[in-house]
Amino acid sequence: MEPLDVSEIRARFLRFFEARGHAVIASAPVVPVNDPTTLFTSAGMQPLVPYFLGQPHPSGRRLVDVQKCVRTDDIDEVGDATHLTFLEMLGRWSLGDYFKERAIELSFELLTSDEGFRIQPGRLYVTFFAGDGDAPRDEAARARWQQLFRGAGVDAAEGDPREGWQSGRLFAYGKRENWWGPVGETGPCGPDAEMFIDTGREHDDRFGPVCHPACGCGRFVEIGNDVFLQFDRRADGTFAPLAQRNVDTGMGLERLAQVLLGADSVYETEAFRPLIAWLERASGRPYQSDRRSFRIVADHLRAATVIAADGVSAGNVHRGYVLRRLIRRAVRYGRSIGLPGPFCAEAAEQVVELCGDAYPELREQRQHVTSQLALEEERFGVTLDRGLRKLTRLLASRRELSGADAFSLYDTHGFPVELTVDLVRQGGGTLSPAFTEEFGARMEEQKQRSRTAAAGTFKGGLGDRSPEAVWFHTVTHLTQAALRRVLGEHVHQRGSNITAERMRFDFSHPAKLTDDEKQRVEELVNDALGRDLEVRSEQLPLRAALETGALAEFGHRYGDVVTVYTIADPGGRVVSREICGGPHVRRTGEIRGEFKIVKEASVGAGVRRVTAVLKPR
């Protein structure tokens, strides 16, 4: 294999598919647009759901990208060799164009050719869907991989996981391993073929008596996944063939870099080494002295920088809470390795330099990012002082501290449990016999709440084609246009959240709306609904679209060709013109109901939010 850094892997992946007819598209924001059901973009396919369902993509039917992803379920696992909060996903897409056999050919060529990653075919292993009562065994994937391996002079027998990896090159598994279900309860799904590389490490018997590609012991590392979206899961649980068959290929950039470099972890790749080197200089300590703490600080500040660059401000709920938690955990572990405070803003500058070429929005939002991290670090310092005072009072009133006490300090003040334990022991106090169990139980309850908040389906979001959700997609355009007329052209969208029952719209504005301002916005939107205006879409080069005055979403990077939605009256006067991915109505008269703002509030410095419904007339 050829050792490649992350920049070259990104560039080589994009060049490879661009040369084979795929349009390079920009990463969507990590803050999903018009999707209320998930906090962050966590997979490469997430922004493309409408196009899997048949909506034409402005860049065509063959696409390639590198998508920013944030995954929050495993924050507490960060610090090992592979878990990350922010990661980059290499994605290749065929939207109703070529299908399984051509997709597999391209994946094999990408992995093994000189234009690709130059992996020896003999080190690759592949898994495919074994079939069940819902869908048949994926013979087409097995046969094509077998042909390609044999063409490269590699034995390609089908193996049996029960007999171990030595029994073959291709392995069949059930839905748990080789099926990509719909993101929600219904929608596009299908079998997948996963590509593994043999690292040659010794098998860990804790994962079973024999080693096979999916055993999880670490000898075999998954480096790519071809998902064949060929079925539609219906509400009754049955599966029907999709009218448009799609291919979704994903490869984790950091993990691929780790494999190609032969590194022990993703933190020994160029995705992290410059940042960790800066942390070493700033702390005066070597990485090897406390690898877990160095990794947590690097991961969390990298993720916090990317999240803040998409317009999120630290707070107590939803995305703001995740950003706050990441920054505070970074500060906590930063102190443990001797980082003098404050350090978060300066570390964010390092992340901007490290990732700014790939994601220019980091440089564009540098000031917002550094100010957010600096402010939250300062707030956390005050919080730590408060927690210390509360702990001192607790220890003065009793010498034994319970796990519930420690969790209250952690949950209310962000006071680290490790620091609580140290201070109790230093002060001559004791921990209750059930301290660890009590604290662990409370933490598990909190994790479950976090998972519930972060998890979700696309019902009501980008994949929702219900009439009500489509109405609200169009109403967000009218709302922004009305706000700009009433408040001024400083108003720009900072986020939206749509269900079939209501819409929330975040926008830049420094002050609370008056009752008169809210009424005028309602009147303008309802006027547009009542006049049955045409909603026209057209595809334009990005520069031409911006020259028409089309508004662009905050923090969003676009491809060379975009879709512009224009709402205009019969005389040609433009009511609204925005770059957007849809879906929308064809005429405003299709929207049923009277637009009514039911709530208006602040969601951060200089950002307001209106929540609105469509009341039956």
Side-chain angles (χ1 to χ4, degrees):
M1 292 188 299
E2 181 180 5
L4 301 171
D5 65 25
V6 291
S7 297
E8 179 56 26
I9 293 172
R10 276 195 214 101
R12 193 169 291 197
F13 181 82
L14 294 173
R15 282 199 308 265
F16 179 90
F17 283 107
E18 187 176 26
R20 289 154 180 81
H22 295 69
V24 178
I25 61 173
S27 170
V30 295
V31 175
V33 177
N34 292 335
D35 187 356
T37 57
T38 183
L39 292 180
F40 297 104
T41 301
S42 60
M45 70 172 294
Q46 197 168 325
L48 294 172
V49 168
Y51 308 108
F52 295 150
L53 297 172
Q55 180 175 321
H57 193 283
S59 295
R61 299 171 71 183
R62 297 186 181 192
L63 310 173
V64 62
D65 67 0
V66 184
Q67 173 63 47
K68 299 181 296 182
C69 297
V70 169
R71 298 180 179 175
T72 60
D73 286 353
D74 298 320
I75 285 178
D76 293 304
E77 302 301 322
V78 170
D80 64 7
T82 59
H83 280 91
L84 295 172
T85 310
F86 164 65
L87 63 146
E88 300 178 68
M89 188 63 66
L90 307 174
R92 174 270 302 256
W93 321 92
S94 170
L95 307 174
D97 190 44
Y98 62 80
F99 196 51
K100 199 168 295 183
E101 293 193 356
R102 180 56 178 159
I104 290 171
E105 292 169 6
L106 289 173
S107 291
F108 183 79
E109 188 180 357
L110 171 72
L111 293 174
T112 61
S113 71
D114 287 344
E115 291 179 76
F117 300 131
R118 300 177 182 174
I119 299 173
Q120 292 298 316
R123 295 190 63 186
L124 293 174
Y125 289 75
V126 172
T127 67
F128 64 96
F129 181 55
D132 60 15
D134 295 325
R137 174 181 163 96
D138 197 348
E139 282 295 328
R142 181 205 60 76
R144 193 68 191 109
W145 272 108
Q146 197 166 57
Q147 292 168 358
L148 292 166
F149 275 126
R150 287 174 175 168
V154 174
D155 179 31
E158 183 176 338
D160 186 334
R162 296 168 297 182
E163 297 177 7
W165 65 271
Q166 298 96 331
S167 64
R169 176 86 37 194
L170 304 164
F171 290 81
Y173 296 92
K175 276 203 176 79
R176 179 178 175 181
E177 302 294 343
N178 282 95
W179 182 269
W180 190 272
V183 181
E185 294 298 319
T186 61
C189 58
D192 69 8
E194 299 182 0
M195 295 149 267
F196 294 79
I197 192 164
D198 182 6
T199 67
R201 297 173 186 166
E202 290 295 323
H203 175 62
D204 186 338
D205 291 337
R206 291 177 298 175
F207 291 85
V210 298
C211 187
H212 55 96
C215 77
C217 75
R219 172 168 185 148
F220 292 91
V221 177
E222 182 188 343
I223 57 172
N225 185 358
D226 285 334
V227 180
F228 308 115
L229 298 169
Q230 62 188 97
F231 296 101
D232 182 19
R233 190 179 192 276
R234 296 168 169 170
D236 62 2
T238 60
F239 293 80
L242 273 178
Q244 175 181 295
R245 300 186 303 177
N246 310 289
V247 177
D248 163 7
T249 295
M251 296 182 173
L253 174 61
E254 294 87 352
R255 182 176 293 189
L256 185 58
Q258 176 192 349
V259 169
L260 294 177
L261 288 168
D264 291 334
S265 81
V266 293
Y267 296 94
E268 276 78 57
T269 69
E270 288 302 308
F272 284 95
R273 281 194 298 209
L275 180 56
I276 288 177
W278 181 87
L279 293 174
E280 287 181 309
R281 294 192 298 272
S283 67
R285 296 187 186 180
Y287 167 62
Q288 297 299 332
S289 67
D290 188 351
R291 292 192 300 175
R292 182 171 181 270
S293 292
F294 270 92
R295 290 172 176 179
I296 290 172
V297 175
D299 168 87
H300 285 10
L301 292 180
R302 184 171 174 256
T305 299
V306 171
I307 292 170
D310 274 351
V312 178
S313 298
N316 291 325
V317 295
H318 306 310
R319 299 180 184 100
Y321 175 73
V322 173
L323 179 58
R324 169 164 287 172
R325 186 181 179 200
L326 288 169
I327 296 170
R328 293 188 172 193
R329 287 190 96 230
V331 172
R332 174 178 132 202
Y333 283 97
R335 291 189 177 191
S336 75
I337 59 175
L339 281 169
F343 65 87
C344 287
E346 193 172 351
E349 293 276 9
Q350 303 300 314
V351 177
V352 171
E353 292 307 310
L354 184 60
C355 302
D357 287 342
Y359 305 107
E361 61 270 23
L362 299 187
R363 291 199 172 102
E364 294 165 5
Q365 301 301 324
R366 185 193 301 259
Q367 184 175 358
H368 174 74
V369 169
T370 55
S371 64
Q372 277 297 307
L373 269 66
L375 178 60
E376 189 56 33
E377 184 173 11
E378 181 182 353
R379 287 173 177 157
F380 188 41
V382 174
T383 295
L384 285 175
D385 291 339
R386 289 175 181 163
L388 183 58
R389 288 196 297 270
K390 182 174 180 179
L391 177 60
T392 302
R393 290 196 298 269
L394 284 171
L395 293 176
S397 64
R398 58 181 182 273
R399 304 309 297 165
E400 183 178 274
L401 202 74
S402 70
D405 292 331
F407 181 79
S408 177
L409 283 165
Y410 170 78
D411 195 41
T412 305
H413 300 288
F415 203 75
V417 66
E418 298 91 344
L419 187 55
T420 298
V421 170
D422 289 344
L423 291 173
V424 169
R425 289 170 176 166
Q426 290 170 14
T430 60
L431 304 175
S432 68
F435 179 91
T436 302
E437 291 77 9
E438 287 178 356
F439 184 84
R442 301 294 177 89
M443 280 295 294
E444 187 55 40
E445 290 173 7
Q446 186 199 64
K447 287 181 187 177
Q448 187 58 46
R449 290 195 298 270
S450 297
R451 291 188 189 106
T452 301
T457 70
F458 284 90
K459 188 177 185 305
L462 288 170
D464 190 347
R465 319 299 278 193
S466 69
E468 296 82 2
V470 175
W471 295 347
F472 277 122
H473 277 285
T474 306
V475 168
T476 60
H477 291 218
L478 296 172
T479 303
Q480 176 162 228
L483 287 165
R484 286 169 64 85
R485 283 191 63 185
V486 172
L487 303 176
E489 294 190 358
H490 64 279
V491 169
H492 287 278
Q493 180 176 344
R494 291 295 183 262
S496 63
N497 182 302
I498 291 171
T499 72
E501 291 77 34
R502 59 99 182 109
M503 58 158 273
R504 293 205 304 254
F505 186 81
D506 298 350
F507 58 97
S508 53
H509 186 62
K512 180 179 179 179
L513 270 66
T514 65
D515 290 342
D516 180 61
E517 288 169 337
K518 286 187 286 187
Q519 182 179 345
R520 288 165 60 199
V521 170
E522 291 172 346
E523 289 172 351
L524 287 170
V525 174
N526 284 315
D527 177 69
L529 299 181
R531 289 196 289 155
D532 191 27
L533 304 179
E534 180 185 9
V535 181
R536 186 178 71 253
S537 68
E538 58 183 330
Q539 294 180 355
L540 295 172
L542 176 59
R543 179 176 294 181
L546 296 174
E547 288 174 351
T548 69
L551 297 178
E553 294 156 357
F554 171 77
H556 195 108
R557 290 175 62 207
Y558 296 94
D560 293 334
V561 179
V562 296
T563 301
V564 176
Y565 284 87
T566 301
I567 303 173
D569 63 22
R573 187 183 71 86
V574 172
V575 175
S576 167
R577 178 174 284 147
E578 291 190 36
I579 298 171
C580 191
H584 299 83
V585 298
R586 288 171 294 185
R587 302 191 69 87
T588 61
E590 298 173 26
I591 299 171
R592 301 286 184 264
E594 177 186 359
F595 177 80
K596 179 68 177 176
I597 295 174
V598 295
K599 186 177 180 181
E600 190 270 344
S602 170
V603 289
V607 180
R608 308 296 298 182
R609 168 179 293 167
V610 291
T611 303
V613 298
L614 289 168
K615 295 175 60 178
R617 294 183 185 274

